[in-house]
Amino acid sequence: MEDREIVKLYFARSESAISATAEKYGALCYAVARNILGCDEDARECVNDAYLALWNQIPPQVPASLRAFAAGIVRKISLDRLDYNTASCRCANTAEILDEISEILPDESAEIPQGDTLTEILNRFLASEKKRDRVVFVRRYWFCDSVREVAARTGMSESGVRSLLFRIRKRLSAYLKKEGYFE
Amino acid sequence: MNKKIFLQQMSAIDEKYIEEAAGNLRTKRFAAGKLAVAACFLMVCAVLAIPFAGNLLSPQVSSENALPVVWDEGEGRFVKKDEINPNQDSFYYNEYRAAIASGDYQGYRSARVLDEGYVGEKLGSAEIDSFLFYFSSGKTEDHRYLAAEVYEIRGISPSDAVCIRYLEIGQSNTLTHYYVFCNANVTDPSWSGLWERFAFDEYLSLSDTAEMLIGDGGCVQKVRYRFSDASALREMLSHVSGAAAADINERDFSALASSAGKMLTLSAQCFSSGQYGTIQILDNGYLVTGISGSVQVFDIGAENAAWIMAWIEESGEVMYSVKYDENGLPEQESSEGLESTVAVETSVSAGRDR
């Protein structure tokens, strides 16, 4: 079923909207949650929370891309959930990603401005990147794919992906400073 | 903690980058290519292999990793039904199904919500068998029999479809909506007859996109079109006539599809039968659809098929085109950009959008 038809179901308040979303994007949503949380049980719960969030948000919202919208909600819920996870359930992949992000930030105490500023800067930064680099960056830090998964998806070697991610992080760090994001 | 805040704030990056990354899967493209090659031969068969097309085509199939959700009348929203413990595998499928279990309309299967404006006279009462069906095991569980009122759908014979309003809360229903239940055994001897039977003029809605598969030797080209006037296409379909082909069980649909050089797939929803699905037109003159609730094949003639396909090709805007080689690998790809923007058409008639 096409996205617009699914969105129509949400507007019609038909419960089929949720099952149609689950059918089409359930696997993607689960993968995003699983990547972040590293725990099947939590991932399932987050995905179901996301379906309820979709139900409550559409309408009034009309997502331009249901896939990105649904995955974005799952991502947010999963990140929120991260704090509550036990250490045993903590995903090594996410810990690795957080470590990598620390390379972008000047230091742990740096003030992160609230609001849309970072999003706007990231959008400009991504626009300036080559498509391949952009995809690798988004797969790693938005979808939270493991390096192995990114390599498999892009046809690169794992070391190639690590190296490329390192260079992108350097560029992003410089870009954020240039844009005056950090005080 | 800043690292996590940073990661969280990334959530709102432009959706086009997420779409780009989500779509740029080497393995996915390969799979899509293989699928496209197979589609010409298998798509029709796959659809027709299901006795009750609505089950395949309607959006009621929940997916892997999805716990059922239940309507909470008090809350006015869906809540998780976590007392059902699915099997421990990561992948399972289940679906809430419902069928009229008593009275004149026994056996009619549930479909989707109908706008209140299309609800006609009350016909009586019935019991609805609401149950959870596990695809993985083929078993049904959790039967509940719910009282409901049965109503006519305006302009539709109750022998083809009715709608009901539940009087009791079950696993996946509300007390306020009207649900279409259709008779999956209904067939019509002609396409024009089916058109009238389900009042497609009133109840059929076509998507404004269409997909054309073009066989070219061992290669297959897939072209997706978007057109501005879906109502014109509906008008064309209303003027087409054709007799129903023989019983679907007696036909070799694999041969039918593989002998076609082109196959046009239109996404459609029919509010009087409550079905979502496709209308497939083959250039050898066959039209295949399960949009009425039961899959039928009509021989509309090669000229009519060519007429509709030509209209799509001439008036449609190409969204993307991919050509796959004999191995199912994409040879070339052209695209105007990312997938079309989702927009809700609020201007369509009241029955189509609530």
Side-chain angles (χ1 to χ4, degrees):
Chain A
M1 187 187 302
E2 297 211 359
D3 282 0
R4 79 169 57 216
E5 308 302 338
I6 299 175
V7 172
K8 280 182 181 179
L9 286 173
Y10 279 104
F11 272 73
R13 309 315 286 159
S14 165
E15 73 274 20
S16 302
I18 294 176
S19 49
T21 306
E23 182 184 14
K24 194 166 182 185
Y25 297 123
L28 170 72
C29 290
Y30 176 76
V32 171
R34 180 71 176 73
N35 283 348
I36 292 170
L37 297 166
C39 173
D40 290 337
E41 204 172 301
D42 284 346
R44 282 196 189 121
E45 283 195 20
C46 284
V47 170
N48 280 289
D49 288 347
Y51 293 149
L52 295 178
L54 280 167
W55 176 263
N56 290 327
Q57 289 182 31
I58 311 171
Q61 292 203 51
V62 184
S65 158
L66 185 60
R67 172 161 63 179
F69 191 72
I73 287 176
V74 169
R75 186 178 188 276
K76 280 179 192 166
I77 291 172
S78 302
L79 284 170
D80 287 343
R81 176 104 184 190
L82 205 55
D83 281 343
Y84 300 101
N85 275 3
T86 61
S88 61
C89 207
R90 178 67 62 85
C91 179
N93 180 52
T94 307
E96 195 182 10
I97 287 171
L98 290 170
D99 281 346
E100 288 171 12
I101 282 178
S102 66
E103 293 173 20
I104 299 169
L105 305 174
D107 59 68
E108 185 61 16
S109 61
E111 191 70 22
I112 301 277
Q114 297 297 310
D116 298 331
T117 319
L118 177 61
T119 307
E120 289 162 11
I121 295 173
L122 278 173
N123 282 336
R124 287 200 295 275
F125 172 74
L126 289 171
S128 70
E129 290 286 297
K130 285 189 290 191
K131 182 179 175 181
R132 183 198 63 170
D133 296 5
R134 202 161 52 217
V135 167
V136 167
F137 182 85
V138 173
R139 290 296 331 179
R140 178 65 172 157
Y141 300 116
W142 200 94
F143 287 91
C144 298
D145 281 353
S146 68
V147 168
R148 176 175 289 185
E149 284 168 331
V150 176
R153 284 169 187 275
T154 55
M156 298 170 68
S157 66
E158 287 186 43
S159 61
V161 170
R162 286 191 189 283
S163 171
L164 179 57
L165 284 169
F166 176 76
R167 292 199 300 275
I168 299 171
R169 288 197 300 270
K170 288 284 176 202
R171 288 201 294 274
L172 176 57
S173 181
Y175 193 85
L176 288 168
K177 282 175 192 156
K178 183 182 137 201
E179 292 280 320
Y181 184 67
F182 297 115
E183 293 297 324
Chain B
M1 192 47 65
N2 269 348
K3 294 178 285 190
K4 198 181 141 191
I5 294 171
F6 188 91
L7 211 54
Q8 281 171 328
Q9 290 200 10
M10 271 191 70
S11 295
I13 61 168
D14 197 319
E15 287 178 347
K16 69 184 178 189
Y17 299 128
I18 301 160
E19 279 288 342
E20 181 181 62
N24 192 6
L25 307 180
R26 201 175 53 154
T27 50
K28 204 170 179 178
R29 272 191 189 179
F30 177 74
K34 285 170 74 176
L35 187 68
V37 172
C40 270
F41 306 98
L42 297 178
M43 188 182 284
V44 174
C45 312
V47 170
L48 296 173
I50 306 296
F52 183 71
N55 292 338
L56 179 71
L57 305 173
S58 78
Q60 296 189 357
V61 181
S62 59
S63 87
E64 62 268 28
N65 316 313
L67 284 173
V69 288
V70 182
W71 179 263
D72 185 323
E73 193 71 19
E75 291 268 325
R77 65 184 182 86
F78 283 89
V79 296
K80 279 186 292 188
K81 181 173 172 55
D82 50 17
E83 63 265 31
I84 286 185
N85 183 23
N87 52 42
Q88 295 304 307
D89 294 334
S90 295
F91 296 92
Y92 71 92
Y93 296 83
N94 58 45
E95 171 191 334
Y96 279 112
R97 292 183 177 179
I100 297 180
S102 64
D104 294 342
Y105 312 106
Q106 188 171 358
Y108 284 26
R109 301 289 295 270
S110 68
R112 59 156 289 172
V113 169
L114 180 72
D115 188 277
E116 198 174 343
Y118 287 84
V119 177
E121 297 295 317
K122 184 178 171 183
L123 297 169
S125 302
E127 222 174 22
I128 310 297
D129 178 8
S130 171
F131 57 94
L132 186 62
F133 181 85
Y134 288 95
F135 278 91
S136 54
S137 61
K139 288 189 297 189
T140 58
E141 305 280 354
D142 211 18
H143 283 267
R144 282 197 64 189
Y145 292 88
L146 307 169
E149 293 172 333
V150 182
Y151 292 85
E152 182 188 15
I153 300 171
R154 289 187 189 279
I156 305 297
S157 165
S159 61
D160 298 329
V162 295
C163 64
I164 66 107
R165 191 167 67 83
Y166 286 96
L167 299 174
E168 294 176 85
I169 280 290
Q171 308 286 22
S172 61
N173 66 281
T174 74
L175 298 181
T176 51
H177 292 104
Y178 293 87
Y179 297 85
V180 177
F181 278 67
C182 78
N183 182 355
N185 297 319
V186 168
T187 56
D188 200 281
S190 71
W191 169 247
S192 53
L194 191 74
W195 190 279
E196 281 185 26
R197 182 186 288 268
F198 284 95
F200 285 161
D201 276 333
E202 189 69 32
Y203 290 108
L204 183 72
S205 174
L206 291 169
S207 160
D208 64 357
T209 60
E211 193 168 274
M212 189 89 79
L213 288 176
I214 304 162
D216 179 15
C219 305
V220 169
Q221 187 178 6
K222 181 169 72 176
V223 187
R224 190 156 190 85
Y225 294 94
R226 177 167 45 207
F227 39 91
S228 57
D229 190 3
S231 60
L233 186 61
R234 196 172 55 172
E235 182 74 13
M236 292 171 81
L237 285 169
S238 74
H239 287 103
V240 167
S241 62
D247 185 271
I248 60 167
N249 297 321
E250 296 170 6
R251 294 194 63 87
D252 182 357
F253 292 101
S254 177
L256 194 72
S258 60
S259 67
K262 276 185 183 179
M263 180 165 73
L264 173 68
T265 301
L266 307 168
S267 296
Q269 48 184 317
C270 176
F271 299 94
S272 51
S273 66
Q275 302 298 312
Y276 282 86
T278 58
I279 297 173
Q280 291 174 307
I281 297 171
L282 286 71
D283 66 351
N284 52 13
Y286 290 98
L287 183 153
V288 186
T289 186
I291 199 69
S292 63
S294 120
V295 176
Q296 279 200 270
V297 179
F298 299 95
D299 184 357
I300 62 168
E303 276 186 18
N304 280 327
W307 175 48
I308 293 168
M309 287 178 177
W311 184 86
I312 294 284
E313 287 168 336
E314 284 164 18
S315 60
E317 172 193 2
V318 175
M319 295 167 70
Y320 64 81
S321 168
V322 190
K323 194 168 185 181
Y324 299 93
D325 64 19
E326 297 89 338
N327 301 314
L329 293 169
E331 283 184 341
Q332 55 193 14
E333 184 172 1
S334 65
S335 169
E336 64 166 22
L338 297 168
E339 283 182 18
S340 64
T341 300
V342 175
V344 173
E345 298 160 13
T346 52
S347 59
V348 292
S349 68
R352 313 235 155 83
D353 280 296
R354 292 156 53 88

